[in-house]
Amino acid sequence: MSETHRIVIVGGGAGGLELATKLGDRYASSQSGGKKVSVTLIDRNRTHIWKPKLHEIAAGSMDLGDQELDYIAQAHWHHFSFRLGELVNIDRSKEQIQIAAFIDESGELVTPEQWIKYDTLIIAIGSLTNDFGTPGVEQYSIRLESQTDAKRFHLKMINACLRAQTQTTPLAPGQLHVAIIGAGATGVELAAELHRTTRAVISYGLDRVDPNKDLKVILLEAAPRILPALSERISSAAENLLDELGVEVMTSAKVEKVLPQQIYLANGTVIPAELIVWAAGVKAPAFLKDFGGLETNQSNQLTVLPTLQTTRDPHIFAMGDCAACPWEEANGGKGGIVPPRAQAAHQQASHIYKEIDSIIAGKQLKAYHYRDFGSLVSLGEFSSVGSMMGGLIGGSLMVDGLFAKLMYLSLYKLHQLALHGWIKVTLDTISRLIHRRTDSIVKLH
């Protein structure tokens, strides 16, 4: 038998799962330079969900069961292996990684501790929110980092509405108020989505709650404006739309500490809120700091070369949010790193896929160049706002309304195409449109 080259991908997010799927399909019945190729994907979750959809799960506007993808099923249909567990250690001298034992919700062992050998290791474990050491955030706020977080928030929101419906005493200050700390894309999208879904919940017979009087969504941002990473024009348009929805926006509002159902600002203001969401800042997981002697930056991201190889080991690659990849065109040509966006993870997965034969053969690799296609922020079912094609035309073309919403949805369709192919995605899309149309007709009658 010919030698087997072992590709191990850690992290089944947008980039990791797309890469595993494409490589599995590619090498199911072929070799690379006379070598067989095995592809293994490792993730600590059993199922995949596109991370930009977490705010919809949290708000309750998306059925998780319709959108989550089982890793085991995807591995079976696309000819790669899946291992359940969390990366905890690496032995670079032996080219192997340690995966922790997986314990289920009832405390029973599912999979034991494992050591998995690799020839090429690709780390794509994404990012976490950054609390910047703010007191109380860890204990008293909810973060939207995973499906579990999103489902937990949604359940707490439903329970809050039911509690308000059945209690005999007047609502307390801050009751049924949701405070979202951080007005980046996640915070803004969640605020807009909550306006609609909370009112939908109230419409199901919760007649003792007045949605216009009792429900309140507050969006806090330490910077002078929301969406600080985008242009002022887009920020202003988004704030106007949020204002029309009734979302209270507070800028230059630096959070000093978080207590149970209370937020203290640096200027002394105290904001009561039953539910508090922290959505400010991102960083790579803490365990990556100097992981296996690999170089990292202040945000715990693995420092990589333009080829996406880590600076201290050419056999280890990093991509997506956990990678600090150089971007020469950033900051008006002054340089910087590729931003933590889904489009970057998608591009980097495609780049590694194209370079994989050269990686296996040990040949010189081409550099990855980030192409900025702009940013879009969803503001509800029928509206989005953002910039498109900014990196291609040398400027920024602002889009909003229904057209921007269609462009936002198309980004998700591109992700689905990478995972399922155009036939399945087309049929699924038609099926959903028919189902939605049928529901609308039923409601009219």
Side-chain angles (χ1 to χ4, degrees):
M1 294 181 62
S2 60
E3 182 183 352
T4 299
H5 187 95
R6 297 158 297 194
I7 300 174
V8 176
I9 303 168
V10 182
L17 184 56
E18 287 182 16
L19 182 58
T21 298
K22 294 170 72 173
L23 290 176
D25 288 340
R26 178 173 183 172
Y27 294 117
S29 57
S30 65
Q31 299 181 354
S32 177
K35 293 182 179 180
K36 289 186 176 181
V37 178
S38 69
V39 180
T40 301
L41 176 68
I42 299 167
D43 198 276
R44 62 181 179 178
N45 299 301
R46 293 185 178 91
T47 59
H48 163 84
I49 192 75
W50 199 49
K51 197 170 183 179
K53 288 285 186 182
L54 287 179
H55 75 279
E56 295 184 40
I57 300 171
S61 55
M62 190 188 86
D63 186 349
L64 178 60
D66 286 344
Q67 303 295 338
E68 67 179 341
L69 176 63
D70 194 294
Y71 286 122
I72 295 177
Q74 184 75 359
H76 171 74
W77 291 112
H78 294 277
H79 318 291
F80 63 88
S81 300
F82 173 68
R83 297 290 179 266
L84 180 64
E86 185 173 4
L87 174 66
V88 292
N89 197 8
I90 184 171
D91 187 334
R92 287 167 51 201
S93 63
K94 296 182 179 179
E95 295 191 327
Q96 59 183 6
I97 56 174
Q98 182 184 12
I99 306 301
F102 186 86
I103 310 296
D104 68 10
E105 297 80 2
S106 62
E108 292 189 30
L109 178 67
V110 178
T111 58
E113 174 186 293
Q114 306 170 68
W115 282 92
I116 298 175
K117 285 189 166 292
Y118 66 86
D119 295 296
T120 296
L121 175 63
I122 302 165
I123 302 177
I125 57 176
S127 62
L128 305 173
T129 53
N130 189 353
D131 62 17
F132 305 104
T134 306
V137 172
E138 183 73 29
Q139 299 92 332
Y140 307 121
S141 70
I142 300 173
R143 312 185 193 203
L144 296 184
E145 298 173 344
S146 66
Q147 301 171 36
T148 301
D149 295 334
K151 289 186 286 187
R152 175 175 163 234
F153 173 83
H154 180 64
L155 181 60
K156 288 177 75 70
M157 183 188 73
I158 297 296
N159 288 343
C161 293
L162 292 174
R163 186 182 304 112
Q165 170 69 14
T166 56
Q167 72 184 49
T168 56
T169 57
L171 296 183
Q175 190 172 351
L176 290 183
H177 291 190
V178 180
I180 303 168
I181 304 171
T186 298
V188 169
E189 289 178 334
L190 178 60
E193 205 71 35
L194 280 174
H195 169 80
R196 180 171 66 88
T197 56
T198 49
R199 280 154 179 76
V201 171
I202 297 304
S203 69
Y204 286 105
L206 303 186
D207 54 353
R208 297 188 61 186
V209 177
D210 183 343
N212 296 318
K213 177 185 176 182
D214 300 329
L215 294 175
K216 189 175 185 180
V217 179
I218 307 164
L219 184 62
L220 305 171
E221 172 56 48
R225 59 184 177 87
I226 67 171
L227 299 173
L230 303 182
S231 71
E232 289 189 23
R233 187 181 176 193
I234 294 171
S235 173
S236 177
E239 185 167 350
N240 289 336
L241 286 168
L242 290 174
D243 184 64
E244 291 175 10
L245 292 174
V247 175
E248 181 179 346
V249 177
M250 298 178 64
T251 55
S252 299
K254 184 178 180 181
V255 174
E256 186 176 77
K257 63 180 178 181
V258 177
L259 294 179
Q261 301 187 3
Q262 286 184 321
I263 300 171
Y264 284 74
L265 302 184
N267 62 9
T269 302
V270 180
I271 300 172
E274 185 169 6
L275 296 174
I276 300 172
V277 179
W278 184 272
V282 296
K283 64 178 181 180
F287 80 89
L288 280 184
K289 186 66 177 176
D290 300 320
F291 182 64
L294 299 173
E295 183 182 4
T296 54
N297 65 8
Q298 292 182 343
S299 298
N300 302 329
Q301 293 173 301
L302 292 168
T303 306
V304 298
L305 303 170
T307 57
L308 301 181
Q309 294 166 295
T310 53
T311 54
R312 296 174 183 170
D313 195 323
H315 302 295
I316 300 177
F317 294 72
M319 67 179 194
D321 293 3
C322 71
C325 179
W327 183 24
E328 295 179 359
E329 294 82 5
N331 301 315
K334 296 180 181 178
I337 63 173
V338 174
R341 297 177 184 170
Q343 61 174 305
H346 171 77
Q347 291 177 27
Q348 290 168 352
S350 297
H351 176 81
I352 291 178
Y353 175 75
K354 293 175 183 177
E355 291 292 296
I356 197 66
D357 281 337
S358 295
I359 291 172
I360 294 172
K363 296 180 180 178
Q364 185 173 353
L365 304 181
K366 296 179 181 177
Y368 159 72
H369 295 283
Y370 174 63
R371 301 176 68 192
D372 185 9
F373 290 102
S375 301
L376 287 168
V377 179
S378 175
L379 293 170
E381 187 176 7
F382 302 110
S383 182
S384 291
V385 65
S387 61
M388 294 299 297
M389 311 301 285
L392 296 182
I393 63 176
S396 180
L397 175 65
M398 179 174 167
V399 291
D400 59 9
L402 180 59
F403 175 73
K405 185 64 179 181
L406 293 174
M407 295 300 294
Y408 183 89
L409 292 173
S410 71
L411 297 176
Y412 184 42
K413 290 301 176 184
L414 288 174
H415 175 61
Q416 291 182 310
L417 282 170
L419 299 181
H420 307 301
W422 69 270
I423 295 178
K424 184 179 186 303
V425 172
T426 300
L427 292 176
D428 283 350
T429 301
I430 293 173
S431 174
R432 293 180 190 280
L433 289 174
I434 293 173
H435 180 72
R436 187 171 182 176
R437 176 64 175 170
T438 303
D439 282 349
S440 298
I441 293 173
V442 171
K443 289 177 182 177
L444 287 173
H445 287 78

